[in-house]
Amino acid sequence: MKKKIAVLTLLAALNACALSGCGTDKADTASTTQEASTQATDTQATTAADTQDTEASTAAGTEETTEASQAESSIDVYKDVLDKYRTAVTEKWDYGTCMEQDICPLITNTNTSVASFDNIGAALIDMDHDGYDELIIGDPTDTSGKSVYEVWTYDGTTPTKLIAAQDRNLLNVGYMEEDNVYFISAMGSNSAAEFEYDYYTVTDGALQNIQSIISEAASETEINWYQADPASGTRESLDADTANGIVDSYNNACILPEYRSIESI
């Protein structure tokens, strides 16, 4: 009887140990499983973040490549125009020859009276947001607000000259950020007593006048200001503060295009 009791006691003790051991194994297994799950989640999160970074970098690279390709394509569209300007430099055309060849003669306003690659650059801007870049030919060294020689447009078929600077009609381009509008500024004198400020946008392959301001010297001390309508030939009087405010708003929005040397494009 004592032996039986001892055996039962021993079995009970062994069962207790066995149960205690199983509980520890389950706890260890659960802990290991949780750690593995956490590591897997962390790996997935890292992989997702890396994938997003890679996709963002790829997208940025693709966008830059597309913009570069578009720029090169636009330059090719205006190749004949640029070739003529390159010829003007290499053959040292003077003012008269430039006039005969229908390119802006102001490129010869240099110390040597002939054009150089230093003072002729080309810039591309989609001024009317139609998917085709306009070509702006100008002087990269002129920061006075009168740097543009010519502006060309392209309708998908043919390049067309929109406007060219003249001795008494100087050009620049500008950008109104709030309205996302590019414009061309033309400033020139109609006579000894009259000065005109014309502002244009590019619309459907043509210039669209958006505003014209005229100053007229009535005497040595008096200047009259007008807002003109070129289409009808009419004009309305403006006070000096309003007129100057309009002109200043355009002047402040003028930009120096990102010219590239025509020698290297």
Side-chain angles (χ1 to χ4, degrees):
M1 182 66 178
K2 290 180 179 180
K3 288 182 180 179
K4 187 175 181 180
I5 292 172
V7 170
L8 291 173
T9 301
L10 178 61
L11 288 174
L14 289 173
N15 285 336
C17 284
L19 290 172
S20 176
C22 288
T24 302
D25 290 344
K26 288 181 179 179
D28 291 344
T29 301
S31 177
T32 302
T33 302
Q34 183 176 1
E35 290 176 1
S37 176
T38 301
Q39 290 175 355
T41 301
D42 291 343
T43 300
Q44 291 174 351
T46 301
T47 301
D50 290 343
T51 300
Q52 290 176 350
D53 290 342
T54 300
E55 290 176 349
S57 298
T58 301
T62 301
E63 184 176 349
E64 290 176 0
T65 301
T66 300
E67 290 177 354
S69 299
Q70 181 182 2
E72 293 304 319
S73 176
S74 296
I75 285 294
D76 290 342
V77 163
Y78 298 109
K79 180 179 182 301
D80 290 345
V81 178
L82 296 172
D83 280 347
K84 185 178 283 190
Y85 271 89
R86 281 188 279 263
T87 300
V89 174
T90 56
E91 295 186 359
K92 301 184 183 304
W93 289 358
D94 59 15
Y95 189 101
T97 305
C98 290
M99 290 285 288
E100 292 171 2
Q101 296 297 324
D102 193 29
I103 68 172
C104 181
L106 301 188
I107 63 173
T108 63
N109 287 349
T110 63
N111 294 333
T112 60
S113 297
V114 294
S116 75
F117 285 119
D118 291 336
N119 72 311
I120 305 177
L124 296 170
I125 300 176
D126 186 0
M127 298 187 70
D128 53 357
H129 309 292
D130 67 348
Y132 297 113
D133 286 328
E134 274 64 49
L135 171 68
I136 301 166
I137 301 175
D139 184 354
T141 68
D142 188 340
T143 59
S144 66
K146 303 178 286 293
S147 71
V148 175
Y149 296 132
E150 291 182 350
V151 179
W152 288 70
T153 191
Y154 180 69
D155 61 2
T157 304
T158 307
T160 302
K161 185 190 297 186
L162 287 173
I163 192 170
Q166 302 173 16
D167 288 314
R168 298 174 68 177
N169 190 35
L170 304 178
L171 305 178
N172 204 5
V173 295
Y175 177 63
M176 297 177 179
E177 186 173 1
E178 290 184 1
D179 301 317
N180 191 26
V181 171
Y182 287 96
F183 65 90
I184 299 170
S185 167
M187 303 165 286
S189 57
N190 298 327
S191 65
E194 191 172 277
F195 198 87
E196 186 166 349
Y197 306 83
D198 294 313
Y199 306 101
Y200 305 93
T201 56
V202 181
T203 306
D204 296 328
L207 293 181
Q208 178 71 42
N209 179 271
I210 51 176
Q211 202 154 30
S212 291
I213 304 296
I214 295 175
S215 67
E216 183 182 59
S219 66
E220 292 183 359
T221 58
E222 182 182 359
I223 296 178
N224 296 327
W225 290 90
Y226 304 93
Q227 179 158 284
D229 180 3
S232 64
T234 59
R235 57 175 68 178
E236 295 179 359
S237 295
L238 287 177
D239 63 81
D241 288 341
T242 299
N244 281 305
I246 293 172
V247 172
D248 287 345
S249 69
Y250 284 105
N251 287 342
N252 292 336
C254 283
I255 60 175
L256 182 65
E258 295 181 3
Y259 291 117
R260 299 165 58 190
S261 172
I262 65 168
E263 184 178 20
S264 59
I265 57 176

